[in-house]
Every structure is written in structure tokens, then in C-alpha cells.
Amino acid sequence: MADALLSVRNLTTVFDLPGGPLTAVNDISFEIRKGETLGLVGESGSGKSVTAFSLMRLVQPPGRITAGRVLFQGRDLLDLTEREMCAVRGAGIGLVFQEPMAALNPVMRVGKQIGESLVVHGLASTREARDRAIELLRAVKIVDPEQRVDDYPHQLSGGMRQRVMIAMALAAEPQLLIADEPTTALDVSIQAQILELLAELRRELGMAMILVTHDLGVVADLCDRVAVMYAGQIVEQAPIHELFAAPAHPYTAALLASVPTLTGGATRLTAIPGTVPPLHAMPSGCRFHTRCRHADSQCSASPLALKVIGNDREVRCRKAAELELEGIA
């Protein structure tokens, strides 16, 4: 796409273990436009978080990126020095971590942690940073920000800590925000508040967002397009309404069948049999064939590439054209 803010091409990330390298993210490609929200969806173990950390070049040893390109505003992030990449983190791309209590410094006041990003990127002096931190806490709807700015993380609730993480990620006004399972550790009512906040901030700031989640209900509310991941690969990409109405991959259809709806009476939810395969035991051919009720002997024969099946739609399934899969209209 000519108007892509971020263009990921053939990204591969492996972990070097004693038995040899294991591929956690396998040759994935996607793009996100300015102001767009892309949902990166899949079960635990599908490679979503590793993908997010790879984009930011935050994968730690024994993990390493072995191939691909990550073009952000025309620059390949994989070619930058670490110093150049530090300038991109925060100012260009913000990241909201999955578990704020692990990501926040427990012995530093939250206002200091928010202001640190501003100082590092030359956007405020140390004196100005505290005032700006209060403004950011107010922007993410924390009550009494003038008092909370001097709190330590353990003095805040889980929802408030997540709001602090969002304030930190947005401090330098990035063009792209990556939110990695931002509501996982929160109760349902707080989850809704955080998601509403993210949607509101995205509209106000006009930024793009990648939402990493296993929850298709969240995706339906916030995203413009969806990339479905399974076993380290993207198996389907589509605009949100098309994917929900007519999924093209059996895995996508199975995920949708497991989502409760408010219509149709007491419909039984359908569980997907089995689990995501471990990295050391990936099936041959289509990686989903061992759990797929539509699979036949040919599905395990050889690896499959993503195929274009329509405007802005791709699927990794040899039987996609013949299957009539049910979605959620």
C-alpha cells in the first residue's frame, strides 16, 4: 500500500535453543495505514506477542529476528542502529505492555516514569515533565492526577496502572500504538473502560493502532481490519465486517464459533479441539490440519502460502474456495 504507515514483509523470528533454532514467527507480512486499527488475533501461543516485540526490536536472547523487513514511515527498522531505534520507540511507535505491574518500575513514582519518556526524546525539561505527566494522567482519566503523579505503582489499582502505561506510551505522541493484550489482567468492567479509552484516544490523536488480543469481541468493537495468527503464521487477513460475516479459513470460523452472541437464543458455543502445537512439533503442510474438521490427506502434504481472495483479503487454506463457513452476521 502506498499509504501504509507500517509495512511488515516476511518477518521471521526464531529462538536459539540447545536442540536448535525454533521458529516462533514464520514469514509474516501485513500493513497498517495511518489512523487505522489492525487486530492481531489468535490463541495463546500463536506468536502474537512475539510479533509485537519483533516490530519494536525488543525480542531478547535467545530470540532473534532472522529475516524480513519492518518499514515504518519508509525506514526499515531492522537496519537501524540501537541508538536510532531508541528514538523510534516512544516517539514513533508506542507500546502498551500486557502486565503493567511487571513493566512499571516499582521504586519510581509514576509521574517520573511518564516524564522520563518526554525528557529522553527532548520534548520537555525535567521541570516541565512533571506538569506534562499530570496532563497525561488527566487525559487517561485518572482521578486527582495532581496527587497520583507522586504515587508508586503498588499504590494504584490494576486499572489505574494500565492507564499509567497508556499515558507513558502516548507521552511522545507516537504515530502508531501497539497494545499487547492491554486488558488481560483486569476484571470485565475495567476492561471495557480501558478499551473505550483506547478508542477515544485513537480518534482524538489520529494515530494508528495494532491491538494484540485473543478476544474477537474486542476486535469487533475497535478494529478496522484483522490478521488472524495460528502457530506463528498469519492464516487470514480481512476487513473486520467481511471477516465476521464470511470467514475464509476454518480456524477463523472456529474462533468465531466460540464467541457468545446476544442473538439466536441459547446457542451452544463450539470449542476448538486440541491445542496450538508447540514450536518443536509443528505439523507439516497446513499447521491447523490436525485440529480442522475440513482437512484431508492433501492438507498435510506441503506448506501453504497466503492467497489473495478478494479486495484486501488473504487466506492460507487450499480449500477456502469450496468451503462455506459460518460467521457472525
Side-chain angles (χ1 to χ4, degrees):
M1 304 176 192
D3 60 343
L5 175 68
L6 177 76
S7 179
V8 180
R9 285 284 170 261
N10 310 111
L11 180 66
T12 298
T13 301
V14 306
F15 285 83
D16 294 312
L17 300 180
L22 298 178
T23 304
V25 172
N26 191 316
D27 195 32
I28 68 167
S29 299
F30 63 87
E31 291 177 325
I32 181 169
R33 305 174 180 94
K34 295 178 181 178
E36 180 182 50
T37 297
L38 173 71
L40 196 58
V41 180
E43 295 169 275
S44 296
S46 293
K48 309 183 302 299
S49 292
V50 177
T51 298
F53 278 75
S54 297
L55 299 181
M56 298 287 282
R57 278 182 42 188
L58 291 175
V59 177
Q60 299 298 308
R64 59 187 174 93
I65 299 170
T66 59
R69 305 183 74 196
V70 179
L71 297 171
F72 178 67
Q73 296 180 319
R75 292 198 301 171
D76 190 347
L77 301 185
L78 304 186
D79 288 339
L80 301 185
T81 65
E82 180 58 25
R83 183 173 182 175
E84 291 171 329
M85 191 64 207
C86 284
V88 173
R89 298 187 192 112
I93 305 175
L95 176 62
V96 178
F97 292 91
Q98 183 173 148
E99 178 45 69
M101 199 57 187
L104 292 170
N105 187 330
V107 297
M108 183 183 291
R109 300 181 193 274
V110 296
K112 181 74 172 178
Q113 296 187 57
I114 296 170
E116 194 172 50
S117 176
L118 295 165
V119 174
V120 166
H121 291 290
L123 300 176
S125 66
T126 303
R127 180 175 298 179
E128 295 167 337
R130 187 179 188 278
D131 291 338
R132 179 62 179 143
I134 293 172
E135 293 176 10
L136 286 161
L137 290 176
R138 185 176 291 112
V140 296
K141 296 181 169 47
I142 285 185
V143 179
D144 297 325
E146 292 84 0
Q147 283 71 46
R148 292 299 188 180
V149 72
D150 293 320
D151 283 351
Y152 292 96
H154 73 271
Q155 296 176 280
L156 306 177
S157 67
M160 292 174 73
R161 286 194 292 266
Q162 193 60 277
R163 290 171 188 268
V164 169
M165 285 296 304
I166 294 170
M168 289 176 63
L170 298 182
E173 301 182 359
Q175 292 79 47
L176 172 64
L177 179 69
I178 301 175
D180 183 16
E181 299 275 12
T183 62
T184 295
L186 306 176
D187 64 50
V188 175
S189 62
I190 302 301
Q191 285 182 23
Q193 294 174 19
I194 295 298
L195 293 171
E196 183 180 349
L197 174 64
L198 285 172
E200 181 180 328
L201 291 171
R202 191 203 86 164
R203 289 191 299 269
E204 290 179 358
L205 301 175
M207 65 183 177
M209 183 164 68
I210 297 176
L211 180 62
V212 178
T213 181
H214 62 276
D215 190 335
L216 280 167
V218 170
V219 167
D221 287 339
L222 291 182
C223 297
D224 302 302
R225 289 190 304 118
V226 188
V228 181
M229 286 194 73
Y230 182 77
Q233 296 180 325
I234 290 178
V235 296
E236 183 169 1
Q237 291 192 68
I240 183 68
H241 298 298
E242 292 183 29
L243 182 131
F244 270 66
H249 196 283
Y251 179 59
T252 308
L255 288 177
L256 289 171
S258 67
V259 177
T261 65
L262 298 179
T263 59
T267 303
R268 176 181 287 274
L269 299 180
T270 304
I272 306 173
T275 59
V276 177
L279 297 183
H280 65 272
M282 287 294 176
S284 60
C286 172
R287 294 185 172 185
F288 187 61
H289 83 265
T290 57
R291 306 173 69 190
C292 179
R293 64 187 181 91
H294 303 284
D296 57 32
S297 59
Q298 295 185 50
C299 293
S300 61
S302 58
L304 299 172
L306 278 170
K307 293 183 179 180
V308 177
I309 60 170
N311 183 33
D312 206 15
R313 291 202 72 172
E314 295 178 307
V315 65
R316 194 187 300 269
C317 177
R318 53 175 292 274
K319 304 178 77 172
E322 64 188 74
L323 295 178
E324 293 186 5
L325 303 172
E326 295 183 1
I328 298 178

